[in-house]
Amino acid sequence: MKGVRATKIIPQDNLKISEDQFYQKPKQETPLKGDRYDASKPKDNLTSDGPFYQKPKEDAPVGERRTPIRHPDNLKPEEGEFTQRAVGKIPHIDRRQPMRPESNLFPEGLIT
């Protein structure tokens, strides 16, 4: 025998309600006349007695264009000629050879 199981202890229920009362919904009472407010639309007291006057609309005036501002330049072609950089062939330059470090690791002695 591997093991003995304990017997289940089920406690007895002490709630006693008859079945027709358990599933019955509580009855809702409708409110009486004094409990409910009569829905009514409020009367509007904003009325105009006469015609409504507005400010007359005026069209915006068409503006004139500003004259462009031209700043004086400081170039004076009358004083001499303009010179440009001389465009020539770029000379060929020899590139440096890359330096490779010499290895100083070499075996010493006899290897048998």
Side-chain angles (χ1 to χ4, degrees), residues 21-91:
Q21 287 180 351
F22 188 72
Y23 292 108
Q24 193 176 32
K25 288 186 178 180
K27 185 178 178 185
Q28 289 185 345
E29 297 180 11
T30 58
L32 300 175
K33 183 70 175 168
D35 294 340
R36 187 181 292 183
Y37 179 74
D38 289 335
S40 62
K41 195 169 189 180
K43 186 177 179 239
D44 189 12
N45 61 354
L46 300 175
T47 58
S48 60
D49 294 336
F52 187 71
Y53 297 106
Q54 287 184 336
K55 181 180 175 184
K57 289 191 174 183
E58 297 176 1
D59 292 339
V62 178
E64 298 176 7
R65 287 188 66 96
R66 170 97 164 84
T67 57
I69 299 172
R70 297 198 57 119
H71 296 288
D73 59 356
N74 57 359
L75 301 176
K76 311 227 178 335
E78 302 90 25
E79 294 179 6
E81 289 189 24
F82 290 108
T83 57
Q84 292 183 343
R85 185 173 65 172
V87 179
K89 193 172 184 181
I90 298 172

